[in-house]
Amino acid sequence: YEAPGEAHTLVAYEHTEPMKVTFNVTGPLIWLDENGDPDGTFDVFDYIALCREHYDKVGIGSAYIDGLMR
């Protein structure tokens, strides 16, 4: 768990087994400028838009996404 505003601390050391990691994002990502003021966001709606764009591009169609949500 990393509290809002904290720097990422993930370190992967060299090992014979591949590293596995899961990131659970439970809110928007908020980018800050050099003064610490909000400078942009990325949330679930941005992820959905990226999926729609990708599905259209590969020929599946963006409407497929609608069937994955309730």
Side-chain angles (χ1 to χ4, degrees):
Y1 174 78
E2 291 178 341
E6 292 295 316
H8 294 296
T9 56
L10 180 65
V11 176
Y13 296 103
E14 207 170 305
H15 195 275
T16 56
E17 294 291 321
M19 183 184 131
K20 296 177 184 177
V21 64
T22 300
F23 295 100
N24 296 310
V25 179
T26 58
L29 301 175
I30 303 171
W31 286 278
L32 306 176
D33 65 14
E34 60 277 353
N35 299 316
D37 297 318
D39 192 34
T41 62
F42 196 88
D43 63 16
V44 65
F45 301 104
D46 296 305
Y47 285 111
I48 292 169
L50 286 176
C51 287
R52 287 182 182 281
E53 181 182 331
H54 172 74
Y55 280 42
D56 273 340
K57 183 178 178 180
V58 299
I60 297 172
S62 61
Y64 180 76
I65 297 298
D66 297 333
L68 300 175
M69 295 184 265
R70 342 181 208 162

